[in-house]
Amino acid sequence: MTAKPDRGRVELDSQECKGCGLCVEACPPKVLHLSSHLNHYGYHPAAYDGAGCTSCGICFFVCPEPGAIVVLRLVAA
Amino acid sequence: MASYTVTHEKAECLYEIYERKPELKHQTHYCPGCGHGIALKLLARAIDEAGIRDRTIMVSPVGCSVFLYYYFDVGNVQVSHGRAPAVGTGLSRSLPESIVISYQGDGDLAAIGTAEILHAANRGESMMVVFVNNGIYGMTGGQMAPTTPLGKKSTTTPFGRNEWTDGPPVRMSEILNALDAPVFIERVGLGDNKQIMQAGKAFRRALDIQVKRQGFSFLEVLSPCPTIWKLDPVDAQRFIREDMAKTFPIGNLRDRTKDALSRPAPKPAPPIAELPRILELTDDTPEEPVATPSKPLDLRLRIAGFGGQGVLMLGEVLAEAGLEAGYNVSWLPSYGPEMRSGTSNCHVRICSDPVDSPLVSNPSVLIAMNEPSLRKFLPSVEPGGMVIYNGETEPPEDCRRPDVRFITAHFTALADSLGSSKATNIVMLGALLEAEDLIEEKYVASALRGKVKSQRWLNIDFAAIERGREIACPV
Ligand SMILES: Cc1ncc(C[n+]2csc(CCOP(=O)(O)OP(=O)(O)O)c2C)c(N)n1
Ligand code: SF4
Ligand code: SF4
Ligand code: SF4
């Protein structure tokens, strides 16, 4: 039997991200982290753990970059 | 396979790419964790939700948020430091269908622009003002702002802001709340998710007031500046919650959206063609082509007397006449603070060549309407020049010069005999016209008609010129 899919998902633009960490701090289920690698600008960009997002949108609002985070929600089957 | 749909993404009213830099064209210029970025997003979302992108005009300030026009795909104006509310006033009055959003920092709004915001708010201008309060001058490297919390160090308060020498922080929302006109005043914070979500709603409400054209809406945003505060972004958020919010209490101070009526549309400005009539600058004389001066001229004239003697008016009439005769002219008044009985004088130049300076330091002609003026300016008259002096008697011994031609008469008595001592200046004008071959009389008459509206006075003035001519007539 397959596991129940997550309610949400996030896509992060690692080149727009400035590694401020606000999304990591704000995410309620703590499913974001700062990567160990550096992006073009020399920041550690935020990344999704890959599971557990609820699509609450909080990371989107606390992020100062207009397009660094896209939040998606599971479409009810 | 589970399918997903986008719920939060970059606002539509923001450009896809920002043309400011050659690379990384989708990144803002703000420091990591800067509150300006969050405010920008909340504002962009409110514009999208209200569906007003095509009607929005954003006024960007001087400060870290100077570049809003690189991000917002709306109408944009970038203005000088602190002047956003004044420019916003002009925009919303002249383009009443538009939605004007002025965005300002705390140095911009609460220091150099205090007067502008106060009066725009007091007039209840139709605009939304986003006031980003980060308690510091960000762009210039961290000087104290009027909003800097007590004790906070800055480059200009290296020992911390001191209540006694620097004054306590200025609370702009509270100050504006003392005025009658604003419809909406709220202070929000960007200190955590909850505050940010609240702020998002307030952006929307403040903007809706513009959509309904109810008047002035003001939104203060407590905003982190991690760079200047020397805090990491997460600690800077905490500083908002635990420190800034103590000095600047978060909450709504005023919301009159329920009772506020739509502001009446501003009266459209009259067509430009109407202006001469409104300003009473029209006359019946047919337009004539610009005259060609009949001879070369370089008149440097100083007219001096008491305020109220018509010193400035005489200068204006001469300059206007010179202009009509096709010369280059200048008229430079110089007077004391009192409207009556102070001294006043003016400089007039009428030349064939372009006027190099409107200042007449060494006049070729001095018109002195009383003795003190003669005393003051006689030494400056150029050798070979002329003085027209209004005196009951010859000038005193120490106010004479052999190298200067004098026309002395009691011009005031002559004017009195014509009906009013106010015509003294014009009698002296007549003397000047007779003594020096300057400008054809028809141009002087036309200049007088332009300045003097009443026919009775015109008659007196024309008679005054005649009297003056008789006085100066070489016998
Ligand atoms: C007339 C004028 N005076 C001074 C400056 C210098 N100046 C540029 S930004 C700034 C302060 C901006 O502070 P604030 O409004 O708080 O905006 P922030 O950068 O913190 O967002 C000053 C004083 C200027 N550009 N123009
Ligand atoms: S949408 Fe919510 S749960 Fe998902 S990553 Fe963002 S903050 Fe975390
Ligand atoms: S909040 Fe935005 S800029 Fe900051 S780390 Fe997260 S994605 Fe990057
Ligand atoms: S200096 Fe402060 S206000 Fe300016 S961009 Fe950086 S963090 Fe933002």
Side-chain angles (χ1 to χ4, degrees):
Chain A
M1 196 181 110
T2 46
K4 222 168 127 199
D6 282 324
R7 267 186 285 155
R9 185 156 72 75
V10 280
E11 287 168 3
L12 291 126
D13 180 339
S14 67
Q15 291 309 325
E16 183 169 348
C17 170
K18 291 175 182 159
C20 72
L22 291 178
C23 58
V24 175
E25 176 78 11
C27 171
K30 299 281 174 240
V31 294
L32 299 173
H33 62 274
L34 293 183
S35 317
S36 53
H37 74 271
L38 297 178
N39 68 8
H40 177 86
Y41 247 14
Y43 297 128
H44 292 286
Y48 180 36
D49 292 353
C53 171
T54 64
S55 99
C56 69
I58 284 173
C59 56
F60 175 84
F61 284 108
V62 299
C63 172
E65 284 302 316
I69 300 182
V70 175
V71 180
L72 302 97
R73 189 185 58 220
L74 180 68
V75 181
Chain B
M1 183 65 197
S3 79
Y4 287 85
T5 173
V6 171
T7 56
H8 299 78
E9 63 180 334
K10 185 166 158 178
E12 270 178 33
C13 65
L14 298 172
Y15 287 113
E16 192 57 38
I17 56 163
Y18 315 132
E19 292 293 348
R20 194 176 75 87
K21 297 179 291 187
E23 50 148 40
L24 285 173
K25 288 187 173 196
H26 58 321
Q27 209 173 44
T28 65
H29 69 290
Y30 295 124
C31 308
C34 174
H36 276 302
I38 300 170
L40 177 150
K41 277 174 80 173
L42 296 178
L43 181 56
R45 198 174 167 88
I47 292 173
D48 275 8
E49 284 177 6
I52 51 158
R53 175 172 84 173
D54 295 344
R55 287 201 286 148
T56 298
I57 305 177
M58 187 87 64
V59 187
S60 346
V62 164
C64 283
S65 49
V66 59
F67 289 143
L68 291 178
Y69 51 87
Y70 279 113
Y71 308 129
F72 281 95
D73 185 3
V74 300
N76 285 287
V77 184
Q78 197 276 319
V79 301
S80 37
H81 211 10
R83 308 303 180 237
V87 175
T89 297
L91 290 169
S92 78
R93 287 191 186 193
S94 57
L95 302 169
E97 294 308 311
S98 60
I99 306 265
V100 176
I101 303 174
S102 149
Y103 186 113
Q104 298 184 262
D106 46 347
D108 194 73
L109 183 141
I112 193 168
T114 325
E116 277 78 4
I117 191 62
L118 206 68
H119 294 291
N122 190 48
R123 295 188 304 263
E125 298 294 345
S126 293
M127 67 174 96
M128 166 176 175
V129 175
V130 179
F131 170 40
V132 175
N133 176 359
N134 56 18
I136 202 84
Y137 286 14
M139 185 194 222
T140 43
Q143 296 78 8
M144 186 194 93
T147 43
T148 301
L150 282 178
K152 186 90 181 145
K153 286 184 181 163
S154 71
T155 58
T156 46
T157 54
F159 307 111
R161 181 173 187 159
N162 176 314
E163 181 172 3
W164 304 112
T165 51
D166 311 318
V170 172
R171 298 188 185 92
M172 286 310 292
S173 290
E174 282 77 356
I175 289 176
L176 298 189
N177 199 28
L179 305 175
D180 290 345
V183 175
F184 178 91
I185 302 174
E186 182 157 329
R187 183 183 287 120
V188 296
L190 302 179
D192 59 20
N193 323 337
K194 242 176 86 190
Q195 288 187 356
I196 292 171
M197 302 310 283
Q198 278 297 325
K201 288 184 198 142
F203 270 90
R204 188 58 214 277
R205 284 221 300 287
L207 194 56
D208 278 346
I209 287 162
Q210 302 314 314
V211 177
K212 294 189 210 134
R213 290 212 75 79
Q214 288 178 308
F216 185 82
S217 53
F218 187 82
L219 185 62
E220 175 170 350
V221 183
L222 303 182
S223 171
C225 170
T227 302
I228 304 286
W229 295 354
K230 299 195 178 68
L231 294 174
D232 81 46
V234 173
D235 289 334
Q237 276 196 335
R238 180 174 310 122
F239 186 78
I240 294 281
R241 294 194 304 272
E242 296 178 1
D243 228 288
M244 291 283 280
K246 283 210 184 86
T247 307
F248 303 103
I250 285 172
N252 183 276
L253 288 91
R254 176 184 299 192
D255 188 350
R256 297 190 177 154
T257 36
K258 280 216 181 67
D259 338 311
L261 303 171
S262 269
R263 267 173 76 85
K267 271 210 198 125
I272 290 187
E274 284 286 285
L275 290 183
R277 190 187 53 78
I278 294 168
L279 300 174
E280 296 179 19
L281 295 175
T282 47
D283 57 29
D284 304 331
T285 38
E287 285 277 323
E288 280 180 35
V290 177
T292 324
S294 53
K295 57 178 180 309
L297 194 62
D298 179 18
L299 176 72
R300 281 157 289 118
L301 178 71
R302 196 78 180 254
I303 310 170
F306 282 135
Q309 275 188 314
V311 165
L312 305 186
M313 187 255 193
L314 174 53
E316 270 183 285
V317 168
L318 267 166
E320 288 284 346
L323 201 61
E324 298 211 17
Y327 291 106
N328 299 299
V329 305
S330 65
W331 170 79
L332 183 72
S334 150
Y335 39 83
E338 48 297 76
M339 286 297 282
R340 291 275 177 272
S341 57
T343 57
S344 106
N345 71 84
C346 68
H347 314 233
V348 175
R349 294 203 55 185
I350 303 179
C351 348
S352 316
D353 292 332
V355 176
D356 49 6
S357 161
L359 218 62
V360 177
S361 315
N362 294 108
S364 52
V365 177
L366 168 67
I367 296 185
M369 298 191 66
N370 55 24
E371 198 218 285
S373 301
L374 177 68
R375 195 170 287 282
K376 181 164 176 194
F377 292 108
L378 179 62
S380 67
V381 176
E382 71 175 9
M386 182 170 70
V387 172
I388 303 179
Y389 170 54
N390 176 32
E392 270 176 273
T393 56
E394 286 299 312
E397 287 294 335
D398 57 346
C399 282
R400 295 184 190 176
R401 267 178 58 181
D403 59 339
V404 167
R405 180 181 162 201
F406 266 84
I407 299 176
T408 300
H410 196 198
F411 290 98
T412 304
L414 296 170
D416 282 339
S417 71
L418 293 167
S420 169
S421 47
K422 282 190 178 169
T424 307
N425 57 348
I426 307 297
V427 185
M428 296 182 84
L429 170 64
L432 171 67
L433 293 176
E434 186 66 31
E436 288 263 336
D437 182 22
L438 293 172
I439 302 164
E440 284 177 64
E441 177 136 354
K442 64 173 179 184
Y443 296 122
V444 178
S446 148
L448 266 174
R449 277 196 205 92
K451 287 226 73 70
V452 181
K453 296 294 168 211
S454 121
Q455 188 58 45
R456 188 176 79 85
W457 273 105
L458 268 179
N459 293 343
I460 294 180
D461 284 342
F462 289 137
I465 291 186
E466 276 320 302
R467 282 303 281 137
R469 279 192 183 276
E470 286 161 28
I471 294 300
C473 185
V475 239

